[in-house]
Amino acid sequence: LNPSFLPSFAHLPLIHSEDGTKLSKRHGATSVLEFKKMGYLPQALLNTLFLLGWSPGGDREIIDFYEACRLFSIEHVNKNAAQFSYEKTAWLNGQYIKKTPAKDLVAACLELDMEKIRDYRSKDSEKLMKAIEMTKSRPRLLPDLVKCISFFFEPHIDISHPLQEKYLSDKAAVMEKMAEVKDELRNISVFHAGPLEESLRKSCRDKGIQTKELLMPLRVILTGQDVTPGIFEVMELMGKELCLKRLIDFLNQNPE
C-alpha cells in the first residue's frame, strides 16, 4: 500500500464527566439513542462533540457540521481532557430548537412517538405550527416544547399551588377582575392581539390599576404558566371560545 494514501491519525483528549472522572460504560456514559429519547436534536449533540477538545476560536458556541469541517485544524485541539456538561448540552439544544422550523420540530417529536403532538396536529395542524413558532425560544428539550404548547390545545389546565399563591391568593379581587375581563372579551368582535391589548389596557387605565395586576393573573388562568409569549398574541391563537372557557371554568371553581 502506498504510504501517501494512508490517512493521518490523531488522538483527541479523553472526555471526563462533570465530576472530573473519565467517562466509561459504567460511569456517566449515555448512548446517542438515549440522548435522542431525552429530546436532543442531532445537530445539537454534534455541536457539543465538536467543542469537546477543540474550539473554532473567538468564544464561538454554535457551529454547524460543514463549518466545523472547514475550520477544524489539529493545532487547535486542546491537550487537556475535555469535560462533558449536560447543562451546556441542554443549552445548545435549546438554541437549535429555537432556530429549527416548526415542521421539522413536529417531525422530530413524531419520530419519538410523542402522542400529544400527533393529537394536536390532528386537531389543528396550522395552530400547532403557530404555537411552536411562538414558544420554541423557551424549551431546551423536545418534551419541554410539548409542555410549552399544551395549553393551546388541552380542554382543561391545572394551576400549580405556587402560582395560585403568588398570583391568585386574593380571590375576591381576582374574581372581580376576571368576571369583568370575561364580559369584555365577549364584546370583542375581532379577537386579534391589537384589539385585545387596546381593550384590556384601557380597562386598567379606567380602573386605575397597573397592567400587571390584571394581566399576570389572567396569564396564569388562561395558560397555567407565568412565563409565556406576549399574552395578547397567546390569546389570539387560543381563540375566543377557549379563552372564555378558561375564565368561566376558573370563576365556577372559585365561587364567591
Side-chain angles (χ1 to χ4, degrees):
L1 185 64
N2 189 333
S4 64
F5 293 136
L6 290 175
S8 298
F9 293 93
H11 194 297
L12 290 173
L14 293 174
I15 300 175
H16 286 187
S17 63
E18 291 175 296
D19 63 8
T21 56
K22 288 190 292 185
L23 285 178
S24 69
K25 292 180 180 178
R26 299 175 184 83
H27 178 77
T30 304
S31 74
V32 172
L33 289 179
E34 286 300 316
F35 275 101
K36 180 178 179 179
K37 290 176 183 176
M38 288 189 286
Y40 286 89
L41 297 173
Q43 310 95 298
L45 200 54
L46 268 176
N47 197 144
T48 296
L49 294 174
F50 294 151
L51 300 178
L52 291 175
W54 172 78
S55 170
D59 294 325
R60 288 189 59 186
E61 299 284 3
I62 310 296
I63 182 168
D64 66 27
F65 176 80
Y66 295 104
E67 191 171 12
C69 291
R70 182 176 64 82
L71 294 176
F72 180 84
S73 68
I74 197 68
E75 290 79 17
H76 288 149
V77 173
N78 299 322
K79 295 181 179 180
N80 297 326
Q83 189 173 51
F84 179 83
S85 167
Y86 277 96
E87 174 65 24
K88 184 172 182 179
T89 305
W91 176 81
L92 278 170
N93 200 61
Q95 300 305 302
Y96 277 92
I97 286 177
K98 186 189 302 185
K99 61 193 284 191
T100 299
K103 63 181 180 61
D104 294 334
L105 292 174
V106 169
C109 290
L110 292 176
E111 194 173 338
L112 296 177
D113 291 326
M114 293 185 180
E115 288 299 325
K116 288 289 188 184
I117 289 292
R118 187 171 283 106
D119 178 46
Y120 298 160
R121 187 177 64 170
S122 67
K123 288 179 179 178
D124 191 330
S125 178
E126 183 180 357
K127 184 178 181 180
L128 173 61
M129 296 299 176
K130 289 180 179 179
I132 289 176
E133 286 294 344
M134 186 180 290
T135 60
K136 68 180 184 178
S137 63
R138 293 176 52 211
R140 291 185 166 192
L141 301 175
L142 291 178
D144 298 332
L145 175 64
V146 179
K147 292 177 184 176
C148 283
I149 65 172
S150 62
F151 65 82
F152 285 109
F153 300 92
E154 297 295 336
H156 305 286
I157 59 168
D158 294 321
I159 302 174
S160 69
H161 183 69
L163 289 183
Q164 291 186 43
E165 285 293 308
K166 186 172 182 180
Y167 298 106
L168 310 177
S169 58
D170 189 348
K171 286 191 176 182
V174 172
M175 291 282 288
E176 181 181 355
K177 290 186 180 78
M178 293 307 112
E180 293 172 353
V181 169
K182 178 196 67 176
D183 293 337
E184 282 193 53
L185 296 187
R186 276 180 170 161
N187 293 326
I188 295 178
S189 56
V190 181
F191 208 78
H192 291 165
L196 286 166
E197 181 173 8
E198 182 181 350
S199 176
L200 293 179
R201 289 192 184 279
K202 180 179 183 303
S203 178
C204 290
R205 290 195 299 271
D206 292 344
K207 294 177 177 61
I209 63 173
Q210 294 185 4
T211 308
K212 66 179 181 179
E213 293 180 46
L214 179 69
L215 296 186
M216 284 309 299
L218 179 61
R219 186 191 306 271
V220 170
I221 291 165
L222 294 181
T223 70
Q225 304 173 23
D226 61 347
V227 179
T228 69
I231 186 59
F232 306 112
E233 289 74 18
V234 164
M235 292 172 69
E236 178 179 336
L237 187 57
M238 286 178 66
K240 186 173 185 176
E241 182 180 347
L242 183 54
C243 288
L244 286 172
K245 182 182 185 307
R246 293 269 164 84
L247 284 169
I248 291 169
D249 285 348
F250 173 76
L251 293 170
N252 289 343
Q253 291 169 8
N254 297 272
E256 295 184 72

